[in-house]
Amino acid sequence: MAQILDGKALSNKIIENIREKTLLLDKKPGLGVILVGENPASKVYVKNKEKQALNAGFNSAVYKLPENTSKDDLLKLIDELNNDEGTNGILLQLPLPKHLNPYDFLDKINPKKDVDGFHPVNAGKLMLNEKPYAVPCTPKGIITLLDEYNIKLEGANAVIIGRSNIVGKPLSMLLLNRNATVTVVHSKTKNLSEITKNADILISATGRADMVTGNMVKKGAVVIDVGIIRDENGKLRGDVDFDSVKEIAGFITPVPGGVGPMTIAALIQNTYELSLKE
Ligand code: GUN
């Protein structure tokens, strides 16, 4: 049976550590989260982000805008937060309602307040391995978790399933910058399981339940599950068929309690660090 990578415990430790450091600051770090519309999963994520920001001793504000918000109104709010001294980190929760294109907005956030690291300047800096102001939270949280368990990245064969701008692409850069050999596979990839079976570290970020089964995994591999899917009974599931994979893998993240809490810990770290840079 694989060892569990306990993201919940590590996240609590990181947030507690930042809380202690925050108590010593003259000015509390400020996080501004923008939520447009009524996406139920986004509402849950935003509530968790706010709760943990408050736990860390930050000022936290959630700006809730209606589903039919215009492009101009959202740009206006971003501009206000860019100019607000108390706001160190700005997070635009994705996905946006269909009539709004996220890339009309993500490049309007001041890169020095871009707590998600989604601005083209920060994405470019990550690609160049030139210290972004912030690194995307889920990839950063995954690397922090791997480091905590002393999982060696240098020279490891890392396979990422999924090429999103939020997870797959930035994670591929972080792993490459740490000297892993990185393969990114996706929905059009041929012979998927032949590739995944070569992985020392296998990361799945597709949002499709049971996408990864035991027969796709190399014995002793590290398996990271980024999926968060609510099944028909309301139970949270991941991309990984935990029961079959845990018998083959050496390490595995649970869902819930793996990558999810690490994403929030990374958000708290990013907000704290941005507040020090101003
Ligand atoms: N939606 C899903 N993951 C994320 C994330 O890390 N940041 C933002 N802003 N939206 C998301």
Side-chain angles (χ1 to χ4, degrees):
M1 159 84 191
Q3 185 179 344
I4 300 289
L5 298 169
D6 189 345
K8 181 80 194 134
L10 179 56
S11 170
N12 287 343
K13 191 168 95 177
I14 290 168
I15 293 169
E16 173 58 25
N17 178 268
I18 292 187
R19 195 182 72 82
E20 285 166 15
K21 291 197 287 188
T22 296
L23 288 172
L24 306 174
L25 298 177
D26 294 334
K27 183 174 156 276
K28 285 184 179 188
L31 175 65
V33 177
I34 306 172
L35 174 62
V36 187
E38 303 291 332
N39 182 303
S42 289
K43 283 186 182 174
V44 175
Y45 297 149
V46 166
K47 197 173 264 181
N48 280 334
K49 289 171 184 181
E50 184 183 28
K51 183 176 151 199
Q52 295 303 337
L54 294 173
N55 272 346
F58 299 173
N59 288 323
S60 173
V62 178
Y63 300 88
K64 290 188 181 146
L65 299 180
E67 187 82 24
N68 63 359
T69 295
S70 69
K71 182 175 170 183
D72 283 351
D73 282 347
L74 182 50
L75 287 173
K76 192 160 159 260
L77 174 58
I78 290 172
D79 190 48
E80 281 168 19
L81 296 178
N82 279 338
N83 291 306
D84 176 36
E85 269 191 29
T87 303
N88 304 108
I90 302 170
L91 184 151
L92 177 60
Q93 184 66 32
L94 303 178
L96 294 176
K98 283 216 161 54
H99 67 286
L100 299 173
N101 176 354
Y103 296 97
D104 287 338
F105 306 99
L106 293 174
D107 67 350
K108 306 301 186 301
I109 294 173
N110 177 348
K112 295 185 177 178
K113 294 192 175 191
D114 171 33
V115 75
D116 260 326
F118 291 164
H119 189 288
V121 163
N122 285 320
K125 283 175 176 284
L126 177 62
M127 185 172 160
L128 299 170
N129 200 8
E130 275 298 326
K131 290 198 177 64
Y133 295 106
V135 170
C137 298
T138 299
K140 174 170 171 156
I142 290 170
I143 299 287
T144 306
L145 187 60
L146 293 170
D147 283 344
E148 173 75 6
Y149 285 84
N150 295 315
I151 289 160
K152 194 170 172 217
L153 304 183
E154 184 164 310
N157 281 336
V159 175
I160 303 169
I161 311 177
R163 55 179 155 179
S164 71
N165 292 334
I166 294 180
V167 183
K169 281 189 215 164
L171 181 59
S172 71
M173 292 297 141
L174 285 177
L175 287 166
L176 202 51
N177 292 345
R178 292 281 299 270
N179 299 319
T181 302
V182 181
T183 306
V184 180
V185 300
H186 48 77
S187 52
K188 302 287 188 287
T189 297
K190 293 175 188 151
N191 304 326
L192 183 67
S193 63
E194 266 174 41
I195 301 170
T196 60
K197 266 189 171 157
N198 247 325
D200 303 311
I201 303 173
L202 178 62
I203 299 136
S204 185
T206 69
R208 284 170 47 199
D210 296 342
M211 166 82 205
V212 177
T213 47
N215 58 356
M216 296 168 67
V217 175
K218 181 162 94 175
K219 184 102 190 122
V222 179
V223 179
I224 305 288
D225 189 347
V226 185
I228 305 181
I229 305 133
R230 206 169 279 282
D231 72 12
E232 58 277 13
N233 305 315
K235 197 169 166 267
L236 281 185
R237 311 259 307 270
D239 285 3
V240 174
D241 173 30
F242 190 86
D243 288 340
S244 69
V245 173
K246 76 176 194 305
E247 302 303 332
I248 313 287
F251 293 87
I252 188 168
T253 57
V255 175
V259 172
M262 289 308 301
T263 295
I264 297 192
L267 172 67
I268 299 302
Q269 287 175 313
N270 282 352
T271 307
Y272 176 80
E273 284 158 16
L274 291 179
S275 83
L276 299 183
K277 280 179 191 157
E278 283 203 58

